[in-house]
Amino acid sequence: MVDYHASNSQASSGGPAVYMDPREQENDWDRDLLLDPAWEKQQRKTFTAWCNSHLRKAGTQIENIEEDFRDGLKLMLLLEVISGERLPKPERGKMRVHKINNVNKALDYIASKGVKLVSIGAEEIVDGNAKMTLGMIWTIILRFAIQDISVEETSAKEGLLLWCQRKTAPYKNVNVQNFHISWKDGLAFNALIHRHRPELIDYDKLRKDDPLTNLNNAFEVAEKYLDIPKMMDAEDIVGTLRPDEKAIMTYVSCFYHAFSGAQKAETAANRICKVLAVNQENEHLMEDYEKLASDLLDWIRRTIPWLENRAPEKTMAEMQQKLEDFRGYRRVHKPPKVQEKCQLEINFNTLQTKLRLSNRPAFMPSEGRMVSDINGAWHNLEGAEKGYEEWMLNEIRRLERLDHLAEKFRQKATIHESWTDGKEAMLTQKDYETASLSEVRALLRKHEAFESDLAAHQDRVEQIAAIAQELNELDYYDSPSVNARCQKICEQWDALGSLTQSRRESLERTEKQLESIDELYLEYAKRAAPFNNWMEGAMEDLQDMFIVHNIEEIQGLITAHEQFKSTLPEANKEREAIQAIQAEVQKIAQYNGIKLSGGNPYTTITPKTIDNKWDKVEQLVPQRDQALQEELAKQQSNDHLRRKFATQANIVGPWIQTKMEEIGRISIEMNGTLEDQLVNLREYEQSIIEYKPNIDQLEGDHQLIQEALIFDNKYTAYTMEHLRVGWEQLLTTIARTINEIENQILTRDAKGISQEQLHEYRTSFNHFDKDHSGGLMAEEFKACLISLGYDVENNKTGDAEFARIMGIVDPNNSGVVTFQAFIDFMSRETTDTDTADQVIASFKILAADKNFIMAEELRRELPPDQAEYCIARMAPYSGPDAKPGALDYMSFSTALYGESDL
């Protein structure tokens, strides 16, 4: 046990001892203070003033500290005033026993507060023992004025000293190291007042070499403005080598309690400012998210109708311009939006992490602006994009086919119209009416040849009609003119058929009158007509337009052409045979002296015509050879483009897949600290970004392929669309992984989680994440919790606890617990956060215990922007004690933690 006096003092004085609170044992109290008359004088004045500062609240006071407490009445009254509690009813008798009983009641009450008094009894107090009375009062001061003072978990004396040091630290010539000589010059007292009430002290005018003036100034200001009675005389302090420590402590404690309200208000204001700053920052992040989400969704809504517009163009050039506009969209307009979408998801995850760390509700974006809504809209955009590109390519194929068919129609129609020119006039002439028999027979044979020629042209007419029909089916823009021309050809053809039949009938009626015919001419005519038709067909085929899409198709045309060339020798023999017939005619006529009048009466096909057409065929053959070889070179070039694209695509595609797998593996592995992982991931991200030129090269190759109108590639399974999506997913995935690590660092630092704890959490999580998906199913998560010591076994208590935890980590009942939700839960279980009740308590301090707060009080205690923030959002107070202008801080504090739209 520790005595009130040191053992040597007790031996020398024979006086009783006082047992001090164990929390004060560490302080080096000087037990001989009462032996020094100067110190005893200071204690008498200080303790008396301290007692009177409380007794005056009960309308009384003491004059002599050892005399006025002897009957125990004022002693009991003092304890009731300073504790706010009622003591047992005192005895009013004047006898010594009554006084002893009253003092014992006071001492018993002191003992009930955890203070043990040793070697001090009621008799010493009743007898007026000054030393014991001062010791008892000091014990009361320690218990009720000093003991509860604690700064940073220090003991009472150290806490009070630390408070003084902090408050006076900015002041020159002040260095508080103790409760005696550090206060002799009076500057420390003045500094304490100036720190809290600067308008009361002109500190700059004080001089260290004038302690009397300094002390008197502080004591007078404290008594006049702070309601702290003067407890010591300046002369006693200055005139003593070392002022009494207990007296100084008692006096300083009064200053502490006078300013403690301001201290509490400052602490409360700091807490509120912190909470409001967090809320303001979160609101700003929410507004940024809403704007970015709205802008992105607006862009998608504007873009999709453009991509869904399937209005076809009439010409190939117009469709090519559409395709070029689409390439510009892919190359210029879309990539920034991909980055915006990725950044939006990162901002959303970061905001949710900050809200969890500040114990705020999760952010729920406005309707239609959820991340899932944006992903859905983006999916629709990519679907429209894919459909638009496929439609354009099909349209280009259709227009290419239409241009080819239209030109083919014009060529065949022109050839046919050239052949039919004058045929109606020929079929309607009446030349046979005045002709001889031989001439009639000649006319008949000529007509037979014409019929053969007409039949030979039937295929061409059918081809012309078939092409026109196909142009109509493919919605050719100039179909009306094609139809009109085709209709005219068909009507003319029908007319020729009718006229041909009529002329044959007329010739046959006259044939009986005609008996001679030149068989040789007839044979010539019969053989020349099909040969002439063959040559015309050959010339038409040699000039026929063609369209191919690959090497195999052009090689098929080359093979067919080679087969045609192989028939030319046999055709030439037929030509020579026909020409030999004409030569034989001339020979016979010359031999028989026959004078031929005009040409062959059975045909208009002369030997010169046959030779000219044969020459034309021979000219067209090498031209066709050249055209086919040029197309072969083009298809070989296209095949080179296919191979070039495929070679690069077959490298880029697996590279992207490999990187995606590596990122997935990195996200579940634990190599080094989070900062190390973040550095490694950012280096990894940079290596991916540096791969971008390969993607750009591939885009360039793909554009060359599209410009060449190449629509297939048998050398690779990768399309540019697949590779674009893969590349965008790769960039998004590495950015999300980096963001997850940043959020883990944010959580760790905010919650004070050690690297070892985080490592333990990650190890446990990965152990049960068997499929490396980055999430735990409910049963996997339960096993993880059990491994960490949580009692969630399958029983009534364990099931209830597990249900509670799942409600925290999986509020949307998705059935999957992410690692971020897991560490949020673990940090919440092991750390403290500010709550609505704490904020309400802080506001209550600022409001001086009222149930409402006034605007001027907020402006006085808080920074201007945060004060106005509160005023604008607090509802008027409507309680029974309401007054004009009163604000409801309780509902406001609750809303900070319960409403996501605040």
Side-chain angles (χ1 to χ4, degrees), residues 149 151 156-171 174-179 182-183 187-189 191-192 195-196 248-249 251-256 259:
I149 297 174
V151 178
K157 178 182 178 182
E158 290 177 348
L160 185 60
L161 186 63
L162 180 58
W163 179 79
C164 294
Q165 290 171 340
R166 287 184 175 177
K167 295 301 180 180
T168 60
Y171 294 88
V174 177
N175 183 16
V176 177
Q177 297 297 325
N178 50 56
F179 286 109
S182 295
W183 303 83
L187 291 178
F189 284 106
L192 281 180
R195 180 62 180 272
H196 295 91
I248 296 292
M249 278 188 66
Y251 210 166
V252 171
S253 70
C254 294
F255 283 86
Y256 174 85
F259 296 133

Side-chain angles (χ1 to χ4, degrees), residues 2 207 260 346 452 502 562 633 744 860 863 886:
V2 180
R207 303 199 324 271
S260 62
I346 290 174
S452 176
S502 298
E562 292 298 324
Q744 289 177 28
R860 184 177 67 242

Side-chain angles (χ1 to χ4, degrees), residues 276-287 351 354:
L276 295 179
V278 170
N279 229 57
Q280 288 172 308
E281 180 184 2
N282 290 341
E283 284 183 0
H284 179 67
L285 292 175
M286 293 174 190
E287 292 170 358
L351 173 58
K354 288 187 175 182

